[in-house]
Amino acid sequence: MSEPLVVFDGACGFCRATVTRLARARRRRLTGRFMPYQAVDLALYGLTEQDARERMWLVHGGRRHGGAQAFAAWFATGGPPARLMGRILTLPGVRHSADAIYGLIARNRHHIPGPWEHTCAI
């Protein structure tokens, strides 16, 4: 089976920093290829540019997971602590909260202070 593909907004500094930080965290042992949506043929994965602008996606084994559930699916590829976190993110009450928090952050990511300020095109 091929590696998961993590599709994120490459024009957003916050998004790049988040994906890079998680990918480098050795203890999580997350697997996958990381591609900004601007460099991906989104139609191959059943995604639109609007989908990709609104949330991160993980595509693996013919399935797509967006937003907080993309993180849950990505964590499921890692070591035991990451897999546990992935499972927790899919629990009914937690899933709803995680989706709401992800949506809030995604809509306001260009206002979040940090070294990536003023790099988000949205």
Side-chain angles (χ1 to χ4, degrees), residues 54 97-112:
E54 291 176 355
S97 296
D99 290 343
I101 292 166
Y102 182 93
L104 180 67
I105 291 170
R107 285 188 304 277
N108 294 288
R109 66 188 187 254
H110 55 286
H111 297 298
I112 298 172

Side-chain angles (χ1 to χ4, degrees), residues 21-30 79:
R21 184 177 185 126
L22 287 171
R24 288 184 180 163
R26 288 191 187 130
R27 71 179 183 277
R28 290 186 182 94
R29 296 191 306 243
L30 302 175

Side-chain angles (χ1 to χ4, degrees), residues 80-109:
R83 287 195 306 269
L84 176 61
M85 177 58 78
R87 284 190 205 113
I88 290 169
L89 286 172
T90 64
L91 294 173
V94 177
R95 179 184 181 128
H96 180 73
S97 296
D99 290 343
I101 292 166
Y102 182 93
L104 180 67
I105 291 170
R107 285 188 304 277
N108 294 288
R109 66 188 187 254

